[in-house]
């Protein structure tokens, strides 16, 4: 891989910052000063200002288009559990949950530290959903949902709502309570009959067929690590 990709793969800094380090002459490969575009492999000794940077297990970040019927759990005895459905060679686990009856985007990783950084409510990371309910709704329903609904003993945070059809809407949340959207709709007298997550932060399900998965592209990965404070902007 290119030397700048090594730095992002190991979560050290962004590619731009890595290029600056290389240009400044602070990086060596097997004792020689690195140049922009140099290729490296695990047998190479990479150092920054004389300090060796170890080749660790590269963090893995996957996006998956979960079908209805797949359960978001790592427990192997559960039929159609998400880990068995993906069948990845690495030991990975889901970041957050998506109901068995829901479909759409979910992220998986082998990086345990990043899970709370993504899920913690105070960071306000967005999640976007397309929802269909059992009957047409009016503007008052959208306004009430956007302002917050009392579920599980407390009011949900304000959210963004937009109408898609007579009985369909988009909702952008910055929190993720248990079955939150279904409970919010139920509290207002509606039943969710379709719930599909289209986006988590900047990562979308676009281009992934139902049941398909792929590793995050380098730009998606870099933006994710920046958003949780892992990489310097």
């Amino acid at each position: 891989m290119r030397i700048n990709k090594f730095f992002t793969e190991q979560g050290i800094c962004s590619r731009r910052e890595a290029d600056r380090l290389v240009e400044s002459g602070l990086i060596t490969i097997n004792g020689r000063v690195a140049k922009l575009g140099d290729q490296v492999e695990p047998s190479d000794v990479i150092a920054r200002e004389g300090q060796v940077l170890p080749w660790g297990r590269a963090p893995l970040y996957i996006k998956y288009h979960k079908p209805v019927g797949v359960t978001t759990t790592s427990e192997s005895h559960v039929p159609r559990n998400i880990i068995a459905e993906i069948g990845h060679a690495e030991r990975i686990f889901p970041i957050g949950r998506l109901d068995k009856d829901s479909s759409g985007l979910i992220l998986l990783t082998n990086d345990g530290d990043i899970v709370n950084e993504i899920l913690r409510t105070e960071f306000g990371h967005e999640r976007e959903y397309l929802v269909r309910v059992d009957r047409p709704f009016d503007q008052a329903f959208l306004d009430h949902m956007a302002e917050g609904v009392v579920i599980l003993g407390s009011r949900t945070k304000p959210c963004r709502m937009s109408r898609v059809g007579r009985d369909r809407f988009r909702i952008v949340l910055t929190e993720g309570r248990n079955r939150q959207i279904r409970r919010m709709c139920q509290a207002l007298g509606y039943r969710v009959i379709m719930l599909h997550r289209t986006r988590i932060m900047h990562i979308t399900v676009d281009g992934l067929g139902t049941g398909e998965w792929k590793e995050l592209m380098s730009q998606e990965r870099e933006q994710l690590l920046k958003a949780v404070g892992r990489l310097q902007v």
Side-chain angles (χ1 to χ4, degrees):
M1 69 175 71
R2 290 168 66 95
I3 182 65
N4 59 2
K5 187 177 181 183
F6 166 83
F7 280 85
T8 59
E9 288 282 313
Q10 302 303 320
I12 298 169
C13 63
S14 67
R15 284 175 296 175
R16 186 179 302 173
E17 177 62 22
D19 286 341
R20 284 198 290 264
L21 290 171
V22 171
E23 287 179 317
S24 68
L26 299 176
I27 307 302
T28 59
I29 304 170
N30 301 326
R32 69 166 178 81
V33 177
K35 304 187 302 295
L36 288 176
D38 274 347
Q39 297 285 324
V40 295
E41 55 187 43
S43 60
D44 291 320
V45 177
I46 302 167
R48 178 174 59 188
E49 297 183 90
Q51 182 176 356
V52 174
L53 302 172
W55 286 78
R57 182 185 64 173
L60 183 66
Y61 306 102
I62 287 171
K63 60 180 180 180
Y64 173 54
H65 185 162
K66 187 189 89 66
V68 170
V70 171
T71 301
T72 308
T73 180
S74 302
E75 297 181 19
S76 59
H77 67 276
V78 176
R80 296 203 70 190
N81 70 81
I82 193 170
I83 305 304
E85 289 289 313
I86 291 176
H88 200 281
E90 285 270 351
R91 183 179 179 275
I92 55 174
F93 44 86
I95 301 175
R97 297 185 62 83
L98 194 57
D99 295 338
K100 182 178 179 180
D101 297 331
S102 303
S103 64
L105 179 65
I106 189 162
L107 304 179
L108 298 99
T109 185
N110 60 357
D111 177 3
D113 294 332
I114 205 169
V115 176
N116 286 337
E117 295 167 353
I118 293 175
L119 297 181
R120 282 170 62 182
T121 302
E122 60 264 34
F123 291 151
H125 296 313
E126 291 187 345
R127 300 163 184 80
E128 183 173 342
Y129 303 80
L130 177 63
V131 185
R132 183 181 181 189
V133 290
D134 59 343
R135 57 191 173 88
F137 53 81
D138 56 14
Q139 186 61 41
F141 167 80
L142 292 176
D143 293 343
H144 198 159
M145 290 280 286
E147 292 168 1
V149 179
V150 176
I151 62 170
L152 302 173
S154 62
R155 187 174 297 276
T156 60
K157 287 191 169 187
C159 61
R160 297 207 310 275
M161 297 283 296
S162 59
R163 181 186 288 276
V164 176
R166 294 172 65 248
D167 58 357
R168 295 172 186 249
F169 61 87
R170 288 191 181 276
I171 180 171
V172 179
L173 300 179
T174 55
E175 60 179 342
R177 298 202 217 172
N178 183 32
R179 298 177 69 84
Q180 178 170 339
I181 297 171
R182 295 180 187 275
R183 292 179 189 275
M184 291 172 71
C185 291
Q186 184 179 20
L188 300 181
Y190 293 81
R191 182 173 60 87
V192 170
I193 58 176
M194 186 275 291
L195 193 154
H196 180 74
R197 183 156 63 196
T198 59
R199 177 172 65 89
I200 299 172
M201 302 163 69
H202 60 284
I203 302 164
T204 74
V205 78
D206 297 347
L208 275 182
T210 303
E212 291 183 349
W213 64 270
K214 66 179 180 180
E215 292 187 30
L216 296 190
M217 294 183 293
S218 57
Q219 186 174 358
E220 291 174 317
R221 177 193 180 105
E222 190 168 318
Q223 195 171 338
L224 176 67
L225 294 177
K226 285 178 180 176
V228 299
R230 295 282 191 88
L231 296 181
Q232 297 300 312
V233 179

